Structure formats: C-alpha cells, structure tokens
Amino acid sequence: MGGGVKKEYLSLGEGTVLSNALLPFLNALNPFCIVITCPKGREEEARKAVMCHKQVSLILEKNKLRLVFTEGSTTRALSVKAALEKLEECAPETEYVLIHDGARPFCPETVIKNVIAPLDENTAVTPALTPTDTQKVIDKNGFITEHLVRSSLAAVQTPQGFHFSKLLEAHRRVAEESACENVPREYTDDTEIWQKYCGKVLTVPGDPSNKKITYKEDM
C-alpha cells in the first residue's frame, strides 16, 4: 500500500494519515511533549508529514509544544521503547503517557478522554470494542478447535494509557530478556507488556470509526 510511500505519510484530508492521527490529541489535551518514531534517515519526511497540516502546525507553534522524532526499531515493542527512552530524555517530568498508532487517523476525541479519565499509577487503560462477528480458534490446518464467547472478547484499539516510569521499566525488561534469549519477543501491543510486568489493564469504550489504516479502502 502506498507504492513505496510509508502509509502514515500518505495524503489524507488537509494533511496526511500521520498528521490526522495527531490532531485529535492536540484538540483534546495539552500534551507537553510528543514523540514520533520513524525509520532511520527519514525524520525530515516524518516532520513534513506532520507540519504540512496547517491546523496541526498552528496548534504546535501557538502552544509551543515539544515535537520530537526518534528512530524506531525492528519490532513494535522496541520502537515503543525507543520512543519512551527519548521521552525520558526530553521530558523526565512525564507522569503518564498515551501510545497511539500513527496509522489511526480517525480517533474521536471522546475515546482519548475515555482513556484518560480512569488512568492511575496502578492501572493501564485501553479502548476496546466487542467483536460483531463470531470468533473461533483454528489450528494450523484451518480447522476450528474452539468456539469463543463473543461477549467476553474485546478488540482493543489505541490510544492506550500508562504510568510512564512503570511502562518504561517494563519495556527495558522486555529488551533485556530478548537480548538474553537472542530472539526479540513479539508483543502485539503495550497492554500485553503492562499486564505481564506491572498489573491490570482496564478497557473503556472504543469507537468503530477509530480504525487502523490497513487497506486502501480504509482511506
């Protein structure tokens, strides 16, 4: 998708997928530091993808918000860790952090506020939706092995909210353990890491419109 252009940098509305992913946070919050991961050597491309959006650039400049770019890594977990390390360097006073997919440009402000409201030091928060389709577990040959109860399942979205220092420490432990095993561990999101090392994760109402750009039709 994108014909060689990273999907976060594709044009969308008045800006790009990335700038539209950032805009609802600027409208709903007053974040004092924003960290965006990008591929090595492509910081300028990422910056242009953000600043090309007039409304985004105006809010950033008017409120003198810190916008920082840092190099990502080979896995999602390592990329998030890189961003958290950069955040500690640039804004060590950070107490809570929201982590969002750069490819989710349609997040309603209400979802952001839903995540923030119950957030505390001991509980992480993620927006979630009950799946509309019946869910099954299948084996490697495609045969159904288990029938799941839809009402007890949740399809999680981002942003996900965490106590900053605890999440950073958890990511450091993941990196250390992966280094010892010489194989990077795969984590689909940060709630998996939080629950393993820190504690409970609360779900709050998500929104069907808060979809992640995956296919051309999603644009």
Side-chain angles (χ1 to χ4, degrees), residues 6-7 17 41 53-54 62 68 71 77 88 92 100 106 113 115 132 144-145 170 177 185 191-192 201 204 207 218:
K6 188 171 167 59
K7 63 183 176 182
V17 172
H53 197 300
K54 289 185 179 179
K62 179 182 177 181
V68 180
E71 184 181 327
E88 184 184 52
H100 189 55
F106 309 118
K113 293 174 181 177
V115 170
T132 55
I144 293 174
T145 60
E177 291 175 7
R185 291 194 179 189
T191 64
E192 188 177 356
V201 180
V204 295
D207 192 294
D218 296 331

Side-chain angles (χ1 to χ4, degrees), residues 88-158:
E88 184 184 52
E89 175 189 327
C90 298
E93 68 272 33
T94 300
E95 187 173 3
Y96 295 101
V97 62
L98 297 181
I99 298 177
H100 189 55
D101 297 320
R104 284 189 195 269
F106 309 118
C107 182
E109 292 177 34
T110 52
V111 171
I112 298 170
K113 293 174 181 177
N114 285 344
V115 170
I116 292 171
L119 190 60
D120 63 34
E121 184 177 349
N122 299 309
T123 303
V125 183
T126 183
L129 296 173
T130 299
T132 55
D133 296 321
T134 299
Q135 307 290 302
K136 309 290 184 181
V137 177
I138 62 174
D139 62 19
K140 63 181 180 180
N141 297 313
F143 290 98
I144 293 174
T145 60
E146 189 176 351
H147 304 269
L148 303 179
V149 180
R150 191 170 57 193
S151 61
S152 65
L153 300 176
V156 300
Q157 303 177 325
T158 66

Side-chain angles (χ1 to χ4, degrees), residues 42-86:
R42 297 180 70 176
E43 177 181 330
E44 189 57 35
E45 186 179 5
R47 186 178 297 276
K48 287 180 180 177
V50 172
M51 301 306 289
C52 69
H53 197 300
K54 289 185 179 179
Q55 189 177 355
V56 169
S57 61
L58 282 173
I59 295 173
L60 289 170
E61 292 168 5
K62 179 182 177 181
N63 297 329
K64 294 182 171 58
L65 300 178
R66 283 177 279 183
L67 178 62
V68 180
F69 295 85
T70 192
E71 184 181 327
S73 190
T74 54
T75 67
R76 186 187 192 282
L78 289 174
S79 291
V80 172
K81 177 181 178 293
L84 295 173
E85 297 282 8
K86 193 70 174 180

